[in-house]
């Protein structure tokens, strides 16, 4: 059974990668940040020597947008230098590198879905470090797959959906920004894309390398996403009553890092080349809510510093 090494195994996508690998005929060795610090080249080399994987999938990243504005060195260490370390190690061991990136490499000033060939212009430090990580891979490797995605959520870890559910039972009204548009994407679906392509490489010995976009279909605002979360959660009995969502402008809740107003990715390339079609986010959300309803504790938070919202307490 081909073996893959998953960096960032403790995160949302990393967790799903480990869960799905066996069903595609792969053995996944998952290493969390505590087990493998990608900013340390020695640790990476030791891990590759020990496990001898057929490829690396990197789901590790520094993701706190607001803290990154002040902690530039820390964000660069993981998102740029750490990724460069992985690329150099992959080249040394003669194996490919799969890397998960972000829609934040774009300015967010557009109104058409971003294609892989569109110019990048990050609006914040986080986006700049993610773009630098992509460039570190491209300059060092020929066999790589970079997958940009957006607005990740799922059953595992901290994310917007679980934060909304946690707050939904405590507030009558929640203000959520309505002028940031993107495509919520389930962590399990992102992992499935990466695993499916990893299995294809292991089976065929090659792949059409490069940069791809993958996110769920049908854009929405954060406020619309929140409304659907509460609607579904109330329908299955996960919360007693759906709070009212008050749409507000981003400028009403200033944050340290600028948020792109437009985060929609064009995913036609991955469909044309690999036959992988994005799923509607509402369908994916229903699966997540249904699954969370079956868990003993559905809430987990707070989510990483990404989405501004304001609470209005009951009574």
């Amino acid at each position: 059974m081909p073996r893959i090494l998953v960096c960032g195994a403790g995160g949302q996508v990393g967790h799903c990668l480990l869960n799905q690998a066996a069903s595609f005929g792969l053995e996944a060795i998952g290493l969390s940040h505590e087990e493998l610090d990608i900013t340390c080249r020695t640790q990476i080399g030791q891990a590759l020597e020990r496990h001898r994987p057929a490829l690396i999938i990197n789901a590790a990243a520094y993701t706190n947008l607001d803290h990154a504005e002040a902690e530039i060195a820390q964000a660069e260490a993981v998102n740029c230098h750490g990724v460069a370390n992985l690329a150099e190690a992959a080249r040394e061991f003669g194996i490919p590198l799969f890397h998960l990136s972000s829609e934040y490499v774009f300015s967010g000033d557009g109104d058409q879905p971003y294609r892989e060939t569109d110019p990048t212009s990050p609006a914040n430090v986080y986006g700049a470090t993610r773009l630098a990580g992509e460039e570190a891979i491209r300059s060092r490797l020929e066999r790589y797959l970079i997958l940009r995605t957006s607005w990740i959520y799922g059953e595992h870890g901290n994310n917007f959906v679980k934060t909304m559910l946690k707050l939904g039972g405590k507030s009558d009204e929640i203000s959520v920004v309505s002028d940031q548009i993107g495509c919520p994407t389930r962590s399990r679906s992102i992992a499935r894309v990466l695993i499916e392509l990893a299995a294809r490489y292991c089976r065929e010995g090659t792949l059409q390398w490069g940069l791809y976009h993958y996110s769920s279909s049908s854009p929405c605002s954060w406020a619309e996403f929140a409304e659907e979360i509460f609607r579904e959660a109330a329908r299955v009995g996960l919360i007693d009553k759906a709070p009212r969502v008050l749409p507000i402008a981003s400028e009403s809740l200033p944050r340290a890092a600028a948020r792109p107003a437009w985060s929609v990715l064009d995913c036609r390339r991955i469909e044309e080349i690999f036959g992988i079609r994005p799923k509607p986010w509402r369908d994916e959300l229903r699966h997540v809510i249904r699954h969370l309803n079956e868990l003993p504790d559905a809430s987990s938070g707070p989510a990483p510093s990404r989405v501004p919202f304001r609470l209005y307490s009951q009574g």
Side-chain angles (χ1 to χ4, degrees):
M1 181 179 291
R3 178 178 295 168
I4 62 172
L5 182 69
V6 177
C7 304
Q12 292 189 82
V13 176
H15 177 85
C16 295
L17 286 167
L18 299 186
N19 285 346
Q20 296 187 61
S23 63
F24 282 86
L26 300 175
E27 177 190 358
I29 305 297
L31 300 178
S32 65
H33 169 69
E34 291 75 21
E35 296 166 313
L36 174 61
D37 181 356
I38 65 172
T39 66
C40 178
R41 295 181 62 178
T42 301
Q43 288 189 26
I44 296 172
Q46 291 172 344
L48 293 179
E49 285 283 1
R50 183 182 310 116
H51 300 294
R52 291 290 173 174
L55 61 86
I56 303 168
I57 300 181
N58 180 43
Y62 178 109
T63 59
N64 194 310
L65 268 69
D66 291 319
H67 288 184
E69 296 297 308
E71 299 176 353
I72 299 175
Q74 293 93 318
E76 288 179 337
V78 178
N79 295 346
C80 178
H81 306 314
V83 174
N85 290 341
L86 289 172
E88 290 173 0
R91 182 178 60 188
E92 179 183 344
F93 281 79
I95 58 177
L97 172 63
F98 287 20
H99 175 68
L100 189 63
S101 191
S102 167
E103 87 283 13
Y104 277 70
V105 300
F106 295 109
S107 67
D109 296 331
D111 58 5
Q112 296 296 315
Y114 287 112
R115 305 197 71 175
E116 291 86 349
T117 53
D118 286 339
T120 52
S121 181
N124 52 45
V125 169
Y126 168 76
T129 62
R130 294 295 258 167
L131 180 59
E134 293 184 7
E135 293 170 346
I137 293 173
R138 285 194 289 262
S139 66
R140 289 167 172 81
L141 287 175
E142 294 182 358
R143 297 193 299 165
Y144 67 84
L145 189 140
I146 298 171
L147 188 71
R148 290 178 183 151
T149 190
S150 64
W151 292 21
I152 301 174
Y153 73 95
E155 296 91 330
H156 174 78
N158 298 328
N159 54 67
F160 182 68
V161 170
K162 296 174 79 173
T163 299
M164 288 296 101
L165 292 175
K166 184 176 182 179
L167 300 174
K170 302 177 180 179
S171 306
D172 292 324
E173 296 179 344
I174 302 179
S175 293
V176 185
V177 295
S178 59
D179 55 358
Q180 295 175 26
I181 308 299
C183 296
T185 310
R186 188 183 181 187
S187 54
R188 186 178 188 275
S189 295
I190 299 167
R192 183 179 179 87
V193 170
L194 293 168
I195 287 292
E196 182 177 329
L197 295 179
R200 192 176 304 192
Y201 163 73
C202 291
R203 183 173 61 250
E204 301 174 1
T206 188
L207 205 65
Q208 191 155 337
W209 305 109
L211 171 65
Y212 295 89
H213 288 172
Y214 179 84
S215 62
S216 292
S217 59
S218 303
C220 67
S221 70
W222 286 112
E224 291 170 328
F225 190 30
E227 287 177 344
E228 192 68 17
I229 293 167
F230 294 137
R231 185 180 298 115
E232 277 299 311
R235 187 181 66 83
V236 302
L238 192 53
I239 57 176
D240 294 332
K241 178 185 176 183
R244 183 184 177 196
V245 174
L246 304 177
I248 60 172
S250 298
E251 62 187 21
S252 300
L253 293 172
R255 308 294 287 273
R259 266 65 171 174
W262 182 257
S263 295
V264 182
L265 299 175
D266 186 318
C267 302
R268 284 179 291 176
R269 184 168 189 254
I270 199 167
E271 183 174 353
E272 291 167 357
I273 293 178
F274 296 121
I276 295 173
R277 178 177 297 179
K279 301 176 181 179
W281 67 263
R282 285 181 174 84
D283 293 346
E284 293 280 76
L285 177 63
R286 290 190 195 101
H287 289 297
V288 170
I289 295 294
R290 190 178 304 120
H291 187 214
L292 289 174
N293 193 39
E294 299 169 354
L295 298 178
D297 180 15
S299 64
S300 180
S305 168
R306 281 180 175 264
V307 187
F309 51 84
R310 180 184 293 139
L311 305 179
Y312 295 82
S313 300
Q314 295 176 341

